[in-house]
Amino acid sequence: MTEAGVNSTASLRRLVPRIFSKAQPSGAVETLMRTVRMHHPKADLGLIERAYTVAERAHEGQKRKSGEPYITHPIAVAQILADLGIGSKTVAAALLHDTVEDTAYTLDQVRADFGDEIAMLVDGVTKLDKVKYGDSTQAETVRKMIVAMSKDIRVLIIKLADRLHNARTWGFVPAESASRKATETLEIYAPLAHRLGIQAIKWELEDLSFAVLYPKLYAEIESLVRQRTPQREEFVQNVIDLVGEDLKASKIRGKVMGRPKQYYSIYQKMIVRGRDFDEIYDLVGIRVLVNSVRDCYAVLGSIHARWTPLPGRFKDYIATPKFNLYQSLHTTVIGPKGRAVEIQIRTHDMHQRAEYGVAAHWKYKERMNSGRTTDAQNANDTDMAWLAHISDWQAETADPGEFLDSLRFEIG
């Protein structure tokens, strides 16, 4: 059972913090270009401009449920991908992703105007859009998504960005439709983002879905968080300062920061694990980013020298990465005032992978493909490793229902 859906977009905008920048129609294309150029100095911006011109013409006169011109949607999807560091071909495909399905512009025209690669991406997203969702077909739907993705992971990354932007505007659609989409997002899209290691998309999808499905609970948790924030921030800053002192003493260059609490994650721990709010929220999370693996272990040593580690709470995901290639050191210590502090230690590269997963790999790959052959080959080898990893995951679960369960309930 779900509570009545959130009806106003203002509520969603107020409740859920944005992870990605929001491009508006005026200046949106310039913002998009700037973002792509920042990640890819040699990017083909002319390609993006052409894709935008074609998409704008194709969608002319169409409106979204919000009343905005339809072109604002493909621009927003392209912007999410640009923020992830994805290159110009994928961004161009994102601008065109709804043209074949919703306008007179055909796939053959996409191929003639933009080439086989972009046509393949647009076609992949169009096929995913045509799959109908429902209880009896969900497992098979996910299988089809995986098969489509196995051809090119970028198809799914575009689809995730498409779902994220649609989720941001659920306030404009009828409550029943928003609830159905939010359930589907929690069941399929957020777990897939998790499988691909794109935590930045996973977290926002979960919180947006949570706000729609359980608005009262969401508002209650948001209120509790707001009330506790001042005291918590003071404590977090104290821990950050002490860890910073240890870095200086060890002559290690690094960055120390607090980790924001995700509302859906708090809810999950309260409901699924039966913990109360105080127990979850008072557990402070700190992240330390350094330049090398050696520095990671040195920081771990200095933290364990300062504070007593809790037995059984140390995890070395650097030596043994998680299924989605996530790497980090995790430890929980008894910090100042006897309060537990969860600490993650990783390199800057590991952090990029932790936040953006396979998208971070694609950013690297697209850069390398315009550079030296050896690096480009290494990037392609890594890509094949990702695809093999996804195939193994599918092969592990032959039964479609079991496959969906493994997708939904896997805890890394």
Side-chain angles (χ1 to χ4, degrees), residues 37-318:
R37 195 187 299 115
M38 180 178 74
H39 292 291
H40 300 274
K42 296 178 182 174
D44 184 354
L45 299 181
L47 178 70
I48 295 171
E49 265 184 306
R50 282 198 299 119
Y52 169 72
T53 304
V54 167
E56 187 182 39
R57 196 181 305 129
H59 289 295
E60 195 172 359
Q62 294 180 349
K63 300 274 189 197
R64 281 177 61 74
K65 294 250 182 359
S66 61
E68 294 174 299
Y70 194 88
I71 190 65
T72 57
H73 170 64
I75 291 174
V77 173
Q79 183 64 47
I80 289 167
L81 295 173
D83 286 337
L84 287 171
I86 304 286
S88 51
K89 283 186 178 175
T90 315
V91 168
L95 287 167
L96 298 162
H97 81 272
D98 276 338
T99 54
V100 173
E101 191 174 5
D102 295 340
T103 79
Y105 192 65
T106 67
L107 188 62
D108 285 340
Q109 285 174 291
V110 177
R111 194 172 287 109
D113 293 341
F114 296 96
D116 289 341
E117 189 176 349
I118 289 175
M120 180 270 294
L121 294 174
V122 172
D123 187 41
V125 177
T126 304
K127 282 175 178 160
L128 285 182
D129 284 343
K130 285 182 178 165
V131 175
K132 295 295 174 215
Y133 297 94
D135 290 341
S136 60
T137 59
Q138 273 192 340
E140 199 49 46
T141 293
V142 178
R143 280 193 177 282
K144 285 174 184 169
M145 290 176 78
I146 301 303
V147 170
M149 179 177 65
S150 296
K151 211 189 292 182
D152 197 308
I153 286 174
R154 290 173 296 172
V155 169
L156 192 65
I157 299 175
I158 295 169
K159 187 61 200 164
L160 286 173
D162 174 54
R163 174 51 58 107
L164 177 56
H165 182 249
N166 281 328
R168 288 176 180 173
T169 54
W170 279 336
F172 292 110
V173 302
E176 192 183 329
S177 173
S179 291
R180 192 173 64 252
K181 292 286 185 187
T183 301
E184 181 184 292
T185 298
L186 282 181
E187 298 250 315
I188 292 176
Y189 290 100
L192 270 171
H194 182 50
R195 266 285 172 181
L196 293 175
I198 312 175
Q199 301 306 319
I201 285 184
K202 171 189 178 271
W203 292 327
E204 194 176 346
L205 284 175
E206 286 180 341
D207 274 357
L208 285 164
S209 302
F210 179 35
V212 164
L213 293 170
Y214 306 100
K216 287 179 184 168
L217 273 172
Y218 190 105
E220 194 180 327
I221 289 174
E222 194 240 6
S223 172
L224 286 167
V225 166
R226 199 170 53 244
Q227 288 165 27
R228 302 293 176 82
T229 295
Q231 305 94 303
R232 189 173 184 276
E233 282 184 351
E234 190 181 328
F235 181 81
V236 168
Q237 193 53 54
N238 180 29
V239 174
I240 288 171
D241 291 343
L242 292 170
V243 174
E245 285 172 21
D246 289 346
L247 289 180
K248 263 188 201 156
S250 306
K251 294 190 169 71
I252 294 171
R253 293 182 65 175
K255 188 176 178 184
V256 190
M257 65 194 89
R259 294 195 339 259
K261 287 283 184 186
Q262 187 210 1
Y263 295 164
Y264 182 68
S265 169
I266 292 172
Y267 161 74
Q268 286 282 82
K269 285 170 184 161
M270 287 171 74
I271 301 301
V272 179
R273 297 182 194 172
R275 296 191 189 165
D276 62 40
F277 178 81
D278 291 346
E279 193 184 351
I280 298 158
Y281 194 64
D282 287 345
L283 187 61
V284 168
I286 297 292
R287 185 171 289 139
V288 186
L289 304 183
V290 292
N291 293 326
S292 69
V293 170
R294 179 178 289 184
D295 287 347
C296 289
Y297 289 101
V299 169
L300 178 72
S302 68
I303 285 168
H304 283 180
R306 178 183 278 279
W307 293 305
T308 305
L310 277 175
R313 294 298 299 272
F314 171 66
K315 297 276 193 321
D316 187 344
Y317 294 117
I318 291 179

